[in-house]
Amino acid sequence: MNILLISGSPRKNGNTNALLEELTAGILEAGKHSVKTVDVTRMKIAPCLGCDGCKRGEKICVQKDDSRLLMNEMRQADYIVFATPVYWWGMTAQLKLAIDRLYADSSVLKGKPIGLIVTGADALDSPQYRLIREQFQCMADYVGFTLAFSKSISAGKPGEVHSQPDLLREIRDLGKSL
Ligand SMILES: Cc1cc2nc3c(=O)[nH]c(=O)nc-3n(C[C@H](O)[C@H](O)[C@H](O)COP(=O)(O)O)c2cc1C
């Protein structure tokens, strides 16, 4: 199985990317699947124009940017994990832009198991984690993919997850179990 991890965090030494490294380590340790990470915050992805150009003829966006690259990666993946920090009770703008562009062809997600990792500074009883999970569940119901797992993490400072060894172990075990 090809597993694709999509990072929505622009922080170089941030929590999301540390968690994805741990997940990758678990996947590689199990040795059953290939894994690749793409960082949407380093890609040039313009906002959807809502022009419906993709609904006429080919399912391709009129805008030629890195969204095509990302969608090709997603097309080739059997399992996709989205990972995002919480920004103002939602996912980051960079990840949202990338997801908006799937309007051109959401079949890149269809029928696939999709995982979600959300990291915010607030405690886990903050509504933000539920809001983001429900947003992805709505997408899953609409597009036809399975929300295979949804993990919420409370960590605010850059790299704070490194001081939570139990959490890192849990994420590594999650990687092994995929
Ligand atoms: C623009 C911005 C908005 C944020 N909004 C929230 C928020 O609504 N709730 C929250 O708990 N944390 C919020 N945070 C804190 C981040 O979610 C937190 O620092 C997280 O660890 C960042 O993840 P990263 O290190 O993977 O980038 C915000 C941070 C930024 C920069």
Side-chain angles (χ1 to χ4, degrees):
M1 185 161 80
N2 291 327
I3 302 179
L4 180 67
L5 312 181
I6 300 179
S7 170
S9 168
R11 254 190 196 169
K12 277 212 173 98
N13 299 311
N15 296 304
T16 303
N17 292 323
L19 293 166
L20 289 182
E21 278 169 25
E22 211 57 38
L23 193 70
T24 300
I27 294 166
L28 294 177
E29 210 176 308
K32 290 182 285 186
H33 311 296
S34 63
V35 58
K36 181 173 186 175
T37 302
V38 294
D39 181 348
V40 293
T41 73
R42 314 270 170 231
M43 294 178 127
K44 294 269 173 275
I45 300 181
C48 172
L49 299 170
C51 67
D52 273 0
C54 57
K55 305 298 168 204
R56 296 185 279 271
E58 284 181 89
K59 291 178 169 180
I60 294 179
C61 182
V62 297
Q63 306 188 83
K64 293 184 185 135
D65 61 16
D66 289 345
S67 169
R68 289 185 179 189
L69 219 121
L70 177 66
M71 284 172 75
N72 270 336
E73 294 285 0
M74 293 171 85
R75 207 165 277 121
Q76 286 163 35
D78 305 297
Y79 196 121
I80 299 170
V81 177
F82 290 100
T84 182
V86 182
Y87 276 12
W88 293 100
W89 285 266
M91 70 181 87
T92 57
Q94 294 95 324
L95 182 58
K96 183 61 166 49
L97 284 183
I99 289 178
D100 282 357
R101 294 285 297 281
L102 302 184
Y103 183 68
D105 183 10
S106 62
S107 74
V108 297
L109 292 174
K110 199 173 167 66
K112 295 180 184 174
I114 307 293
L116 176 65
I117 299 178
V118 177
T119 306
D122 286 354
L124 293 176
D125 59 0
S126 162
Q128 59 199 4
Y129 305 105
R130 176 180 53 77
L131 291 171
I132 297 172
R133 187 179 60 249
E134 284 180 4
Q135 186 176 18
F136 274 84
Q137 187 57 61
C138 288
M139 290 184 226
D141 295 343
Y142 179 71
V143 171
F145 64 80
T146 311
L147 192 56
F149 73 84
S150 169
K151 178 76 191 149
S152 303
I153 286 134
S154 174
K157 297 194 184 73
E160 194 182 319
V161 288
H162 289 296
S163 61
Q164 302 183 41
D166 289 351
L167 168 68
L168 294 181
R169 204 167 307 115
E170 193 190 330
I171 296 295
R172 190 178 278 247
D173 287 346
L174 177 62
K176 283 195 222 167
S177 72
L178 296 183

